[in-house]
Amino acid sequence: MRSHVAFNDGWTFAPGFDAARAGEVLPGEPVTLPHTAVELPFAYFDEKSYGKPFTYQKRFVADADWAGQEVDLVFDGAMADSVVYLNGERIAAHADGYTPFEARLTGRLRAGENLITVKIDGSENPAIPPFGARIDYLTYAGIYRDVWLRITAPVSIANCKIETPDVLAPLKRATVAIELANPQNLPLSGTVTVTLRSPKGETIADASAPLEANIVQLAFAGLADIRLWDLASPTLYEMVVRLATASGIDERRVRFGFRSVEFTTDGFRLNGTPLKLLGLNRHQSFPYVGYALGRAAQERDADILKQVLKLNIVRTSHYPQSTWFLDRCDEIGLLVFEEIPGWQHVGDKAWQEASVENVRSMIRRDWNHPSVVIWGVRVNESKDNHAFYAETNRLARQLDTTRPTSGVRCIVESELLEDVYAMNDFILGMEEIGGNRPRTPLRPQKEVTGLDRTVPYMITEFAGHMYPTKVYDQEQRQAEHVTRHLEVLNAAYGDPEIAGAIGWCAFDYNTHKDFGSGDRICHHGVMDMFREPKFAAFVYASQCEPSDEAILKPVTFWTRGDRNHGGVLPLIILTNCDEVELTSGNMPPRRFAPDRATYPHLPHPPVIIRREDYPNEEFGHWGMGWQNVTFTGYVGGKPVCKAEFVADPVASSLVVSPDATRIGASDSVRVIVRALDQMGNRLPYMFEPIGIDVTGPGELVGPGQVSLIGGSVGFWITARGAGEITATITHARLGKVGVKITSDAGSRR
Ligand code: GAL
């Protein structure tokens, strides 16, 4: 039977690499994977520091039971150029930082101790996509995803694909293709059995076929009582594939869903039902350790996108992301636009061939994820290249007939070889730098495509560098940031030719010196790097239904003198409530309705309180006696939520919120620290230092002394074994706050 176990513990790590010494046990620092080769400060660092080779080593004893079996190491991802040695012999190499690879140990293991040495070169090698020019994000270096030790019978299941055609028919079908691995070229004989199981684990169908070739196809029909995978109830089924040959038994389990996706000239449909796509782009990076946070942090990001930001789609800009992230998208019902590595630059023929291989590897890894609805098979924002993109499209369509292809561009009238035209439309704001039209949220489709017909079309980026906004920026700037997101979403909702819009971007990210604010950060997120929301986050969140969550976020720090000219008007209140009541000082309460005139197409336009609403300057102006204020949201005539502000905020408490208090024994957990005023609002201009002290079986990710950034800061703790972890946060005047987190092997989801 197959064994597939984590191979993450007990590595050593050292900078530099010497191929001549790959067979020697070298001095190194003990590390656990996922691991980043160079830990970076939060900002203002030299991003060239990781652009060089590093050595990872691990010693292990080959088990006597492995005799006669296939033994492989599976690397989920390592950046950027990896070479694997076993006992000094080079056995595998992989020149891509985002796709998985394997190293076959079979037949080369010796009795007793063996030594794995991995060279990782973090250099931005122009032969490897995305490198070759400048790119607006960091790629880091290291074995930053999990590594697995896999033991199988000599003939084993290499991959399986399940497709669910006609999901709208009363009785469902499924077609299955099983690919075998037979590296020893044994004569094939035996049986493949496929069992489909319901979410409760009951068998709903099974079928068998004899082994005749390296690919076995099976079909199921007449499947009754099937629940579809959709956003509200992402029902997951399981396919159990069992292979019985003379050489042994192998078994794999794959989750899948019954769902259909369609991009048409009048939008996107999930299971035949129109759905306007509302999303943000995600970079997979975190502060300090870059890409190197494991399963729990990946899952948490998906949860934030779906449950906090209320999105229905995420684009994995600009590369295939962790399968933990995609698994979670499957579980929670978050659609995914996944794309190959790259950023504007296309290299020579060999580079393009590597990119075509990335298409293959991405699709073959992820074709069973119901969350993935479209393949991005162009290098983001690259120029046309007919032969190259004809090939990426051909291959994608050959590998997967169920999903459309797309390719993300920013150049208008570029050649459409994909099924869906995807545009990064940064037109809003162009008027400020001499654009030849008044402020425009989005261009008409035909102007962008240059085609005389309408085609399936979506917006894959907007905002971003056109209006970088920091979590601690002035309220007025943040209000404009909010307005830009509102205007584009309103335009996308209002245009039936646009399947949806995915904004730039979810989270701030570290970048090269050529981009960002000089601090090596692109402050383009609607959340900062710790995933703390800026006001713009609530543009997205407020589009959900109040039955899901009532959202009420006045875009203000409620202070008299932060905006130019003072006051807080016009005041945007991001909300999905029917009405918002304002109470302040001695003024009679007053109710305001959402501004449908300005944002007719948004599911939930904001309320906007304008200067004209208070012509006598009795509210929200500079110079008035500043008063406390309460905003109350009403749904169906009933008060459902409140936002309250004090006129005289003072630092009152330090609140420490971990995302979870029970975690798995090697999980990372995010902890957010906020300095609050007496009403519980974050102090937006608080930059005082805090100390973070972690005891017990947990490691602090990043430094132990940091400053609050606009009243809050986050950090991650990675569990190193089971037990109780305590984090103590110290602030000079707000005192000490401790949190306890229990790590145990059993608590992992
Ligand atoms: C786009 C690019 C993104 C990011 C964004 C910033 O051109 O595709 O990766 O750089 O600009 O707004």
Side-chain angles (χ1 to χ4, degrees):
M1 263 310 228
R2 167 179 297 242
S3 144
H4 188 92
V5 293
F7 202 66
N8 291 332
D9 294 336
W11 291 78
T12 60
F13 167 78
F17 179 77
D18 178 356
R21 301 185 66 192
E24 288 171 42
V25 175
L26 301 165
E29 164 203 349
V31 298
T32 303
L33 309 181
H35 179 258
T36 195
V38 175
E39 204 167 295
L40 296 171
F42 186 74
Y44 291 114
F45 47 74
D46 175 8
E47 69 270 26
K48 291 188 288 303
S49 59
Y50 58 76
K52 54 188 180 200
F54 301 92
T55 304
Y56 287 85
Q57 289 197 313
K58 178 169 160 103
R59 288 184 278 166
F60 66 103
V61 175
D63 201 304
D65 290 356
W66 301 350
Q69 306 277 76
E70 277 294 314
V71 184
D72 298 273
L73 289 185
V74 182
F75 292 78
D76 282 353
M79 184 62 74
D81 188 2
S82 311
V83 184
V84 184
Y85 299 79
L86 173 63
N87 302 325
E89 183 194 350
R90 183 183 156 126
I91 57 167
H94 187 66
D96 173 61
Y98 299 101
T99 52
F101 61 97
E102 298 180 1
R104 182 167 181 242
L105 311 186
T106 319
R108 294 174 170 128
L109 288 162
R110 50 187 190 214
E113 189 169 278
N114 287 267
L115 175 68
I116 289 287
T117 302
V118 184
K119 170 194 162 191
I120 294 289
D121 193 337
S123 308
E124 300 192 358
N125 176 351
I128 304 174
F131 306 120
R134 285 184 297 278
I135 48 176
D136 172 22
Y137 51 95
L138 298 186
T139 50
Y140 312 95
I143 308 182
Y144 74 89
R145 289 184 186 152
D146 298 298
V147 177
W148 307 91
L149 174 68
R150 188 182 64 202
I151 320 285
T152 66
V155 181
S156 66
I157 304 158
N159 203 339
C160 1
K161 175 161 77 161
I162 178 156
E163 295 177 348
T164 57
D166 310 330
V167 296
L168 300 182
L171 295 178
K172 315 290 187 239
R173 295 199 291 129
T175 59
V176 173
I178 313 295
E179 283 175 35
L180 305 181
N182 182 11
Q184 300 175 28
N185 270 323
L186 299 178
L188 280 184
S189 77
T191 316
V192 176
T193 306
V194 174
T195 309
L196 304 186
R197 289 197 178 150
S198 74
K200 287 195 188 131
E202 294 147 353
T203 297
I204 56 168
D206 54 14
S208 297
L211 279 192
E212 275 153 7
N214 270 331
I215 298 192
V216 180
Q217 318 254 12
L218 286 160
F220 296 87
L223 303 173
D225 300 325
I226 296 293
R227 278 184 287 146
L228 298 186
W229 184 94
D230 65 23
L231 301 186
S233 51
T235 311
L236 290 172
Y237 286 75
E238 190 183 50
M239 162 168 84
V240 183
V241 181
R242 195 178 163 86
L243 170 72
T245 67
S247 76
I249 303 282
D250 191 23
E251 191 177 287
R252 274 184 77 162
R253 286 155 191 256
V254 171
R255 292 191 311 184
F256 69 101
F258 291 85
R259 63 109 183 90
S260 70
V261 297
E262 220 185 331
F263 283 83
T264 70
T265 50
D266 55 2
F268 174 75
R269 286 194 177 80
L270 179 65
N271 301 329
T273 306
L275 174 74
K276 194 59 103 168
L277 298 171
L278 174 69
L280 289 164
N281 285 272
R282 174 197 187 230
H283 268 303
Q284 63 175 12
S285 54
F286 296 90
Y288 319 122
V289 291
Y291 288 166
L293 286 183
R295 175 179 184 171
Q298 302 295 329
E299 293 178 338
R300 180 67 191 145
D301 264 8
D303 289 349
I304 290 171
L305 298 170
K306 165 98 181 184
Q307 283 145 16
V308 181
L309 294 169
K310 314 287 185 188
L311 307 178
N312 57 31
I313 191 165
V314 56
R315 172 169 167 237
T316 63
S317 51
H318 301 294
Y319 36 78
Q321 299 190 356
S322 163
T323 48
W324 295 126
F325 179 74
L326 298 180
D327 283 345
R328 190 72 186 141
C329 292
D330 291 343
E331 289 164 8
I332 62 178
L334 177 63
L335 306 176
V336 179
F337 181 128
E338 189 172 33
E339 72 186 358
I340 52 168
W343 202 83
Q344 296 190 345
H345 165 79
V346 172
D348 59 14
K349 270 266 158 322
W351 193 104
Q352 293 170 35
E353 278 161 22
S355 191
V356 169
E357 281 316 297
N358 286 336
V359 171
R360 187 191 312 279
S361 188
M362 169 178 77
I363 296 180
R364 287 177 50 79
R365 191 191 70 164
D366 292 332
W367 52 22
N368 294 320
H369 288 282
S371 57
V372 176
V373 293
I374 191 163
W375 302 119
V377 301
R378 282 175 79 103
V379 167
N380 171 62
E381 297 189 336
S382 54
K383 295 201 189 89
D384 281 346
N385 182 327
H386 183 86
F388 175 32
Y389 291 131
E391 178 56 15
T392 59
N393 275 281
R394 187 203 60 75
L395 178 62
R397 291 182 180 123
Q398 178 206 313
L399 292 170
D400 182 2
T401 56
T402 70
R403 291 178 182 84
T405 63
S406 187
V408 171
R409 48 202 97 211
C410 60
I411 302 166
V412 295
E413 300 187 18
S414 99
E415 186 189 17
L416 179 60
L417 294 165
E418 297 80 26
D419 303 316
V420 180
Y421 201 109
M423 182 66 180
N424 293 347
D425 194 348
F426 288 104
I427 195 69
L428 204 170
M430 283 311 236
E431 73 285 354
E432 291 164 350
I433 51 170
N436 55 2
R437 70 178 97 206
R439 180 162 165 139
T440 306
L442 291 172
R443 280 165 280 189
Q445 185 196 123
K446 283 186 186 148
E447 177 187 333
V448 169
T449 63
L451 300 171
D452 56 7
R453 61 182 201 283
T454 306
V455 295
Y457 183 81
M458 71 191 296
I459 303 298
T460 32
E461 292 183 28
F462 58 89
H465 66 288
M466 299 303 286
Y467 208 76
T469 302
K470 302 178 185 70
V471 73
Y472 48 87
D473 263 336
Q474 188 203 28
E475 167 179 318
Q476 186 168 16
R477 185 174 184 91
Q478 300 216 40
E480 172 62 12
H481 189 223
V482 158
T483 301
R484 290 177 183 224
H485 282 272
L486 284 169
E487 285 180 12
V488 174
L489 293 184
N490 180 61
Y493 273 102
D495 186 341
E497 290 178 4
I498 300 180
I502 303 179
W504 191 265
C505 57
F507 315 128
D508 290 351
Y509 53 97
N510 284 129
T511 190
H512 287 93
K513 67 170 183 21
D514 319 274
F515 303 91
S517 298
D519 51 359
R520 310 299 195 282
I521 300 173
C522 268
H523 298 266
H524 296 175
V526 301
M527 292 180 146
D528 71 9
M529 286 206 278
F530 302 111
R531 287 63 173 146
E532 270 285 85
K534 305 173 190 175
F535 287 110
F538 297 90
V539 170
Y540 293 81
S542 62
Q543 301 315 314
C544 78
E545 290 314 306
S547 53
D548 170 3
E549 185 179 344
I551 306 285
L552 177 71
K553 187 68 181 177
V555 181
T556 181
F557 299 135
W558 192 248
T559 173
R560 176 207 311 248
D562 195 45
R563 296 191 181 201
N564 308 349
H565 313 297
V568 297
L569 301 180
L571 174 55
I572 303 167
I573 304 171
L574 297 163
T575 186
N576 50 9
C577 295
D578 305 337
E579 282 183 303
V580 174
E581 185 176 80
L582 164 70
T583 334
S584 183
N586 297 328
M587 290 190 329
R590 184 162 160 191
R591 292 205 187 174
F592 294 85
D595 185 352
R596 292 193 198 288
T598 308
Y599 299 107
H601 308 298
L602 285 178
H604 295 288
V607 165
I608 304 180
I609 303 178
R610 298 189 162 81
R611 285 171 181 274
E612 306 83 271
D613 293 315
Y614 289 96
N616 302 321
E617 305 205 341
E618 63 274 43
F619 174 78
H621 284 266
W622 168 255
M624 55 172 263
W626 208 245
Q627 307 272 359
N628 296 357
V629 67
T630 303
F631 301 91
T632 309
Y634 282 80
V635 174
K638 296 207 179 71
V640 293
C641 51
K642 242 186 203 165
E644 292 178 277
F645 297 90
V646 289
D648 58 345
V650 286
S652 304
S653 62
L654 196 68
V655 171
V656 181
S657 319
D659 281 343
T661 51
R662 285 194 86 83
I663 59 173
S666 55
D667 280 354
S668 303
V669 62
R670 181 185 67 145
V671 182
I672 294 283
V673 181
R674 296 191 186 102
L676 305 179
D677 68 15
Q678 58 273 47
M679 189 56 81
N681 290 317
R682 182 168 58 86
L683 295 161
Y685 299 126
M686 163 73 95
F687 294 91
E688 294 172 14
I690 59 161
I692 310 166
D693 186 37
V694 174
T695 56
E699 245 172 43
L700 173 65
V701 175
Q705 275 217 312
V706 293
S707 285
L708 295 166
I709 302 175
S712 76
V713 73
F715 60 90
W716 280 261
I717 296 173
T718 301
R720 297 285 180 229
E724 192 164 85
I725 304 167
T726 305
T728 309
I729 318 304
T730 315
H731 180 271
R733 57 188 175 122
L734 294 174
K736 258 187 207 281
V737 183
V739 287
K740 291 202 183 314
I741 294 159
T742 307
S743 68
D744 72 79
S747 65
R748 171 165 267 172
R749 260 194 308 260

